[in-house]
Amino acid sequence: MYKKIDFHVHYLTDQYRRFLMDHFGPKPENFKTPDWDIQKQLDCMEENQIVYALLGISSPYFCCGDTEKTIEAVRENNKEISSLLKGYEKRMGYLAALPMPDIRRSLEEIEKSMEEGAKGFTVNTHSDGIYLGNPILDPIMEKWDSLGSIVHIHPTEPSDVPEDVCTDFPIPAMEFFFDTTRTFVNMCLTDVFVRYPNICFIFSHAGAFVPFLSDRLEVFFKNFTVNKPDLEQALRHVYFDVAGYAEPKQLDVLLNAASEDHILYGSDFPHTAPATVRKNSEALENTGKMSEPLKEKIFLTNGEHLLSSL
């Protein structure tokens, strides 16, 4: 078994649980909110030889259409997770939440959460329909860039989903991949990766459909855009985690599209059950598609290098 650093793993503070129940009920996005506490986290890490976990918030995040409630909930959440992890700093760090799309309060929260020990930030693909890449968010991008921040982009339910199609089907199964792909493309079209090169963006779930569509996207970028984004450069600039079910099919495509130095391990615990985390981990450990040195990079050393840049 390989030692691992986990870059896609979630915490659930009491504050976040209350927020979810108040605004989304027990099954946000048709997916039951899982149980989580420090001991469950440590047990998962022990079982999978995870030496360090960088925890972040999962979807649907702190977006409810009420700015003041969002700001208050985010502040209390960040204070709570900072307190919960005291004494565990060698095993766990956290990515703070932000009250996006409120610019002023998000900039204030960046400062406060960094002072409290945050290692970076988790954000949704969009916040109340404002997608990453929207120029409105440029002041936040500028701040992240100045800090060289780690920013984990987690998918959420798209801002507009057709009615009466795939009724009651869990949003994470398919819509998450659509929204990750849409967000990556939008950030290319608005030159985010070029204008803010110091931000360490991590995209979830092996990049969703982006690697699969890369040949097609490259043609359209070259022939139907004004700025002609360099897709190959973007794919090799950002980071991708392999949380979820990257093996047996996604991994091949990701390895062909991304830089092997920018692929990171992710468990997706606790939204992925412990037994499935182990199964997915074993699939990656035992695959014949990667050499032993490459497995070592993805499980451990790529993450060490990224964290050492903070």
Side-chain angles (χ1 to χ4, degrees), residues 8 29 59 125 131 153-158 161 169-185 203-213 217 240-247 249-251 253-254 268 272:
H8 189 136
E29 301 173 325
S59 179
T125 43
Y131 277 79
I153 299 174
H154 198 280
T156 189
E157 181 174 355
V161 178
F169 195 53
I171 292 296
M174 184 170 60
E175 300 296 341
F176 275 17
F177 273 42
F178 294 151
D179 225 45
T180 292
T181 305
R182 178 180 297 108
T183 300
F184 182 91
V185 172
F203 283 83
S204 300
H205 309 124
F209 297 133
V210 172
F212 291 95
L213 291 173
L217 288 171
F240 298 98
D241 70 53
V242 291
Y245 308 92
E247 180 68 348
K249 296 182 177 67
Q250 268 190 285
L251 184 62
V253 186
L254 179 65
D268 217 346
T272 297

